[in-house]
Amino acid sequence: MLCPFWSRLVGSLIIPDFYLKSILEERIRMKKIPVTTPYFGREEEIAACEAIRSGWVAQGPKVGEFERKIADHEKVKEGVAVTSCTAALHLAMVASGMGEGMDVLAPAFTFVATTNAIVSTGALPVLVDIDSKTYNIDVHAVEKIIEEKYVLKSDKLYNKETGNILWGIVPVHEFGLCCNIKEINRIAQRYNLLVIEDAACALGAQINGIHEGAFGNTSCISFHPRKSITTGEGGMILTDDARLASRMRELRSHGCSISADARDKSHGFLLPEYNEAGYNYRMTDIQAAIGIEQAKRLDYIIGQKRKKAELYNRLIGERIPELSVPYVPDGYFHTYQSYVCMLNYRKLGVDSIEDGGRLRNQLLEKLENIEIATRQGTHAIHMLGYYKNRFGYTPEDYINAYAADRLSITLPLYVQL
């Protein structure tokens, strides 16, 4: 039996009272509602089969077509398709010179892939707290950290304690909402820093009509099944720098100087040259064929998710004062890769983030018991074992990220919902 508050909260969030009563009393004919699910049609199935029949099972011409389609949508000159957004981040970082002896600023509230990619280059992530309204990196905290931790010498910022050079910033466009990239770019230009945007969740997101990826930096997007469109696993790097794109295409294929598609169109009997050690980050033509069809649905998918998010916003605003709906600044276009709201623990009569977190978890458990899947928003990086143990973080070091970790709720959102 649900207590009155939880019954009101669960019922108001998802389903009418009469149906909630039916579920709780009978628990029949109820299919589990996932957090999200891909939106596929017959076209994706046909495209995958055609790719298999073509003989191009690995990376081939469909990958190039997919790259052009996504780059055109985001109004960027180059797209480099890879196996995942994590691979995209790592490849972009390596190709841009990130490595040992360097620090990189990154938000303290993000999926662990952001900081794992930094660590994989040999560089060290320096965490920055988030804006609690947008879940994105706090630009004021960025400037404060630079002023407190670094000293400027010969146009480079050096860590006062370790001597590491500050390479740049990896901001995240979280949950489908762009960060304040204009201010990030201003800070980067002031201090001669590089920027790589983690746009894993933000394909199609905009500020004043400018798409993610078109703000003058390299950006990385994801095609994981939880994203708006999917290729199963997969990612892409977007850039206007043709030389950088060319180098990344070589690095994604072991450092190969020519693609398999280009070699097939010329004399394919000799192996290509390998001028540097690279990686195997190649997307397959099967994935790309699916991605091409998914890209045709992208604007429709985003439109449907935005409509459903508006319904959530209205219903939660009318019925659930204990929840804060997603905040969208003026001029920003939110794609709602995930619908993430926050539990206001003070309105529940408790005094701490920890107690609020326990109530949040009770809510998620009760939703799970009636077969409605939910998640926390994402991680507070400084509370994950590897980073907590390596750097000795405490919850208070990044209090907004900690609160978001403990109090955020991802509700189901997808076209078929």
Side-chain angles (χ1 to χ4, degrees):
M1 185 70 181
L2 293 177
C3 70
F5 168 73
W6 294 123
S7 180
R8 176 171 61 84
L9 192 55
V10 172
S12 298
L13 276 173
I14 306 296
I15 46 182
D17 292 341
F18 74 90
Y19 198 46
L20 175 64
K21 184 173 184 292
S22 174
I23 293 171
L24 293 173
E25 291 180 352
E26 301 177 30
R27 294 180 63 88
I28 58 172
R29 297 199 308 271
M30 178 64 185
K31 296 176 70 174
K32 182 173 181 179
I33 298 175
V35 171
T36 190
T37 189
Y39 183 60
F40 288 137
R42 176 73 170 160
E43 293 82 357
E44 284 84 352
E45 181 181 353
I46 292 170
C49 289
E50 288 179 348
I52 292 170
R53 295 187 187 112
S54 75
W56 279 107
V57 178
Q59 181 177 288
K62 287 293 182 182
V63 170
E65 183 181 346
F66 183 44
E67 289 172 337
R68 290 188 294 275
K69 199 165 191 67
I70 296 298
D72 287 347
H73 186 277
E74 299 299 89
K75 298 178 174 59
V76 179
K77 292 179 181 177
E78 302 281 350
V80 181
V82 290
T83 52
S84 69
C85 189
T86 309
L89 285 165
H90 181 242
L91 190 59
M93 291 170 181
V94 170
S96 301
M98 187 188 298
E100 292 186 14
M102 298 178 181
D103 289 349
V104 183
L105 303 182
F109 184 65
T110 181
F111 185 58
V112 70
T114 308
T115 48
N116 280 356
I118 294 169
V119 169
S120 295
T121 70
L124 292 180
V126 176
L127 299 182
V128 183
D129 212 350
I130 60 165
D131 180 328
S132 58
K133 292 171 69 176
T134 65
Y135 308 113
N136 284 322
I137 194 167
D138 184 342
V139 294
H140 301 296
V142 169
E143 290 194 291
K144 184 178 179 181
I145 285 174
I146 291 174
E147 291 169 1
E148 291 180 353
K149 291 190 174 184
Y150 296 89
V151 60
L152 187 63
K153 296 179 182 179
S154 302
D155 293 329
K156 292 184 179 180
L157 288 168
Y158 289 85
N159 190 306
K160 294 176 183 178
E161 294 183 3
T162 67
N164 279 3
I165 294 171
L166 183 58
W167 177 92
I169 311 169
V170 180
V172 178
H173 303 308
E174 199 60 82
F175 307 133
L177 179 70
C178 288
C179 71
N180 190 347
I181 192 63
K182 181 179 178 180
E183 283 300 300
I184 292 294
N185 283 348
R186 181 188 63 79
I187 294 168
Q189 290 168 6
R190 178 183 176 187
Y191 293 106
N192 195 30
L193 303 175
L194 294 174
V195 176
I196 292 175
E197 300 171 33
D198 182 342
C201 304
L203 179 60
Q206 304 169 38
I207 304 176
N208 295 322
I210 300 174
H211 283 249
E212 66 76 33
F215 294 104
N217 310 308
T218 300
S219 71
C220 302
I221 54 180
S222 172
F223 303 115
H224 182 272
R226 281 194 62 181
K227 304 306 185 287
S228 292
I229 63 172
T230 183
T231 56
E233 287 282 3
M236 192 176 293
I237 307 159
L238 299 176
T239 181
D240 285 326
D241 188 333
R243 292 181 64 184
L244 180 64
S246 178
R247 180 156 189 259
M248 290 189 293
R249 289 191 178 101
E250 290 184 6
L251 286 172
R252 76 175 170 188
S253 189
H254 305 285
C256 180
S257 60
I258 185 172
S259 71
D261 185 28
R263 190 172 74 247
D264 182 69
K265 291 174 181 176
S266 59
H267 299 289
F269 50 81
L270 293 179
L271 292 176
E273 182 61 78
Y274 293 84
N275 295 313
E276 60 181 315
Y279 313 92
N280 184 0
Y281 286 162
R282 293 171 298 197
M283 176 180 280
T284 70
D285 255 30
I286 300 170
Q287 292 171 289
I290 294 170
I292 290 165
E293 297 305 319
Q294 283 276 281
K296 296 174 185 177
R297 305 180 189 275
L298 176 57
D299 291 335
Y300 173 77
I301 291 169
I302 291 173
Q304 289 297 304
K305 294 177 81 171
R306 282 172 57 83
K307 286 181 181 179
K308 295 170 196 295
E310 288 174 6
L311 181 59
Y312 267 138
N313 289 344
R314 180 171 64 80
L315 293 175
I316 292 171
E318 291 173 355
R319 305 180 186 185
I320 320 284
E322 297 86 356
L323 289 181
S324 299
V325 301
Y327 171 76
V328 183
D330 290 341
Y332 284 62
F333 182 87
H334 200 321
T335 63
Y336 295 100
Q337 175 266 330
S338 293
Y339 186 91
V340 180
C341 49
M342 283 273 282
L343 193 65
N344 188 325
Y345 65 92
R346 291 187 177 89
K347 288 187 178 180
L348 292 174
V350 297
D351 298 324
S352 70
I353 293 170
E354 290 78 8
D355 289 339
R358 282 189 281 272
L359 291 175
R360 189 277 309 267
N361 293 346
Q362 288 178 27
L363 170 60
L364 302 194
E365 183 177 4
K366 289 178 184 295
L367 287 166
E368 186 173 277
N369 288 341
I370 58 171
E371 298 188 325
I372 297 169
T374 56
R375 297 287 188 275
Q376 70 188 78
T378 192
H379 307 297
I381 295 296
H382 68 300
M383 289 292 94
L384 296 176
Y386 172 80
Y387 294 96
K388 183 178 180 180
N389 295 335
R390 180 173 179 180
F391 298 104
Y393 293 128
T394 66
E396 293 75 18
D397 289 335
Y398 307 98
I399 195 65
N400 291 342
Y402 180 65
D405 181 290
R406 294 301 191 263
L407 301 171
S408 59
I409 301 171
T410 303
L411 296 176
L413 184 65
Y414 46 95
V415 172
Q416 306 94 312
L417 181 64

